[in-house]
Amino acid sequence: MSDSIIIIPTYNEKENIERIIRKVFSLEIPFHILVVDDGSPDGTAQILKSLQQEFPGELHLEERRGKLGLGTAYIHGFKWSLQRNYEFIFEMDADFSHNPDDLMRLRAACLNDGADMAIGSRYIKGVNVVNWPMKRVLMSYFASGYVRMITRIDIRDATAGFVCFRRKVLETIDLDKIKFVGYAFQIEMKFTAIKYGFNVVEIPIIFTDRTLGTSKMSTKIFKEAFFGVIQMKIASFFKNYNK
């Protein structure tokens, strides 16, 4: 039995999903994986069902109908994981933009170094991004600066999607009240954890853009994050963050 579960949301990731799963299961620490697939028409779920025969009890699949958004996929995965006995619950992409070897560093930050939430950060030590167009690097970097300015939280990589939570963080946050579904979801989770007084730390990683499959970023997602941060900050004045 593992104390660690990695939630991987997927939509059309047939080029990456088997490789990422085999890589995670080759690590020294035994991790379990939960894939939340939003009805991928490319056959991602079928690949996973085949792999489940090879990794029974370690690889789990939750299928949803339709593309329902990154945030709702993670909320679904969080609730599923909290119903089991996992102490460390991770977010990670399927496309190798997050190096699975760094999972152990994030876990160690929570297990040994007192973190309640460990973020794999692209910007805590300069800009550690590989293969991204300069326009997107600048958009992401300045988005985090914008978030810091509006929210006053000291997080260098507010939109990071490579995270380890201790279960008490997800038990404390009312997951049904998390509002955003795109990349603003990542900002909201960090902001909420900090408002509750949890120890949120950033661990430097190197982010490498996907080489297979297609990005899910869109103008709609960016707008949600830009305007949503202001709404989130205003709403926080009327919330009680006592644990």
Side-chain angles (χ1 to χ4, degrees), residues 13 16 27 30 35 37 54 58 78 86 88 94 96 98 104 136 150 164 180 211 214 223 226 231 239 243:
E13 291 289 357
N16 296 302
L27 298 173
V35 177
D37 185 70
E54 188 175 344
E58 299 172 274
F78 292 158
Y86 295 106
F88 304 104
F96 282 93
H98 304 138
M104 292 183 287
R136 189 160 178 192
I150 298 297
C164 175
F180 299 119
T211 57
T214 56
K223 285 181 177 178
F226 186 86
Q231 297 168 359
K239 287 184 181 179
K243 292 181 184 176

Side-chain angles (χ1 to χ4, degrees), residues 11-126:
Y11 184 79
N12 287 349
E13 291 289 357
K14 69 176 183 180
E15 296 98 339
N16 296 302
I17 194 62
E18 181 170 354
R19 291 191 308 124
I20 197 80
I21 284 168
R22 291 193 183 280
K23 174 60 179 175
V24 169
F25 286 149
S26 75
L27 298 173
E28 296 174 17
I29 294 173
F31 290 94
H32 286 183
I33 297 173
L34 168 64
V35 177
V36 181
D37 185 70
D38 273 5
S40 297
D42 72 344
T44 298
Q46 284 65 42
I47 295 170
L48 287 160
K49 288 172 183 176
S50 176
L51 288 168
Q52 281 184 304
Q53 305 302 312
E54 188 175 344
F55 302 107
E58 299 172 274
L59 176 59
H60 307 278
L61 171 63
E62 289 283 287
E63 293 184 84
R64 305 195 304 170
R65 291 189 176 184
K67 197 174 179 183
L68 303 177
L70 180 78
T72 65
Y74 276 127
I75 295 296
H76 185 100
F78 292 158
K79 290 179 177 180
W80 186 97
S81 301
L82 289 173
Q83 290 171 0
R84 280 85 181 165
N85 294 319
Y86 295 106
E87 175 60 32
F88 304 104
I89 300 169
F90 293 76
E91 299 179 10
M92 189 174 76
D93 291 345
D95 60 9
F96 282 93
S97 55
H98 304 138
N99 185 345
D101 290 328
D102 290 328
L103 288 164
M104 292 183 287
R105 296 172 58 226
L106 297 182
R107 182 178 180 274
C110 291
L111 178 65
N112 303 319
D113 300 334
D116 298 312
M117 179 181 182
I119 301 163
S121 177
R122 297 163 289 188
Y123 307 128
I124 193 66
K125 290 188 175 180

Side-chain angles (χ1 to χ4, degrees), residues 54-218:
E54 188 175 344
F55 302 107
E58 299 172 274
L59 176 59
H60 307 278
L61 171 63
E62 289 283 287
E63 293 184 84
R64 305 195 304 170
R65 291 189 176 184
K67 197 174 179 183
L68 303 177
L70 180 78
T72 65
Y74 276 127
I75 295 296
H76 185 100
F78 292 158
K79 290 179 177 180
W80 186 97
S81 301
L82 289 173
Q83 290 171 0
R84 280 85 181 165
N85 294 319
Y86 295 106
E87 175 60 32
F88 304 104
I89 300 169
F90 293 76
E91 299 179 10
M92 189 174 76
D93 291 345
D95 60 9
F96 282 93
S97 55
H98 304 138
N99 185 345
D101 290 328
D102 290 328
L103 288 164
M104 292 183 287
R105 296 172 58 226
L106 297 182
R107 182 178 180 274
C110 291
L111 178 65
N112 303 319
D113 300 334
D116 298 312
M117 179 181 182
I119 301 163
S121 177
R122 297 163 289 188
Y123 307 128
I124 193 66
K125 290 188 175 180
V127 178
N128 291 305
V129 176
V130 178
N131 291 341
W132 256 10
M134 183 55 66
K135 179 181 178 181
R136 189 160 178 192
V137 172
L138 291 172
M139 184 174 73
S140 173
Y141 183 79
F142 285 110
S144 283
Y146 169 75
V147 171
R148 287 196 303 278
M149 180 180 71
I150 298 297
T151 65
R152 303 300 180 185
I153 62 171
D154 188 22
I155 299 294
R156 305 299 300 184
D157 193 353
T159 60
F162 193 22
V163 181
C164 175
F165 297 91
R166 293 200 77 115
R167 72 175 289 123
K168 65 182 179 181
V169 178
L170 299 178
E171 287 174 332
T172 300
I173 293 173
D174 187 344
L175 297 174
D176 290 326
K177 291 185 178 178
I178 295 297
K179 176 181 177 182
F180 299 119
V181 297
Y183 285 88
F185 164 82
Q186 302 292 4
I187 301 168
E188 187 175 9
M189 289 298 294
K190 296 172 184 66
F191 178 78
T192 306
I194 289 170
K195 292 293 286 184
Y196 272 111
F198 288 111
N199 182 24
V200 179
V201 304
E202 292 183 89
I203 306 298
I205 64 161
I206 296 175
F207 177 96
T208 304
D209 194 24
R210 65 165 65 237
T211 57
L212 297 172
T214 56
S215 172
K216 313 305 188 294
M217 176 60 80
S218 69

Side-chain angles (χ1 to χ4, degrees), residues 195-196 235-243:
K195 292 293 286 184
Y196 272 111
S236 73
F237 294 131
F238 305 97
K239 287 184 181 179
N240 183 348
Y241 289 99
N242 292 325
K243 292 181 184 176

